[in-house]
Amino acid sequence: METNFEYVGIPKSEALEEYTQNKLDKLEVKYDFIVRAEVHFKKQENEDPKGYICNIKLSVPGPQIFAQSNEESYEAAAAESVRDVEKQLKKLKSKMSTR
């Protein structure tokens, strides 16, 4: 799976990329039909203590899978977004296996 990271108004973070990539790699083991992942991190200034936003968009057969979360840290936001896309992947895989 190809993964693209984008940072909107914040500096690039190798540690954050590694953390998120590790979580996405675990998904790829379970769901081998994932083609590409796009991960966006941004800071929403007027939302305290939250405001750390992570968007994940997965390219898979059929419609794209998307999740966004707003948490107290980028790591928490990434973890929540990964949980959300995993729920969607489970549904998609069950639909694919019933065909």
Side-chain angles (χ1 to χ4, degrees):
M1 163 180 53
E2 175 189 337
T3 306
N4 296 323
F5 290 93
E6 187 173 315
Y7 298 86
V8 180
I10 62 170
K12 182 178 178 180
S13 169
E14 294 292 328
L16 189 55
E17 282 187 25
E18 187 176 316
Y19 175 82
T20 308
Q21 186 64 55
N22 186 21
K23 293 207 168 281
L24 290 172
D25 288 344
K26 290 177 184 177
L27 283 184
E28 187 181 20
V29 170
K30 290 183 188 177
Y31 308 100
D32 60 352
F33 52 85
I34 301 171
V35 177
R36 184 175 65 245
E38 293 182 28
V39 182
H40 298 257
F41 292 103
K42 62 184 173 182
K43 176 77 171 110
Q44 194 76 30
E45 294 298 330
N46 57 356
E47 296 187 33
D48 285 329
K50 295 187 177 185
Y52 297 90
I53 297 171
C54 175
N55 298 333
I56 298 178
K57 186 185 332 179
L58 298 180
S59 295
V60 296
Q64 288 186 335
I65 291 178
F66 178 80
Q68 175 176 307
S69 60
N70 182 353
E71 297 294 333
E72 295 178 6
S73 71
Y74 289 116
E75 290 81 2
E80 183 63 29
S81 291
V82 168
R83 278 193 292 276
D84 289 349
V85 295
E86 184 170 20
K87 288 176 190 174
Q88 295 176 56
L89 287 167
K90 283 180 184 177
K91 286 181 184 177
L92 178 63
K93 188 172 184 175
S94 70
K95 286 181 184 178
M96 292 170 78
S97 63
T98 59
R99 291 181 184 185

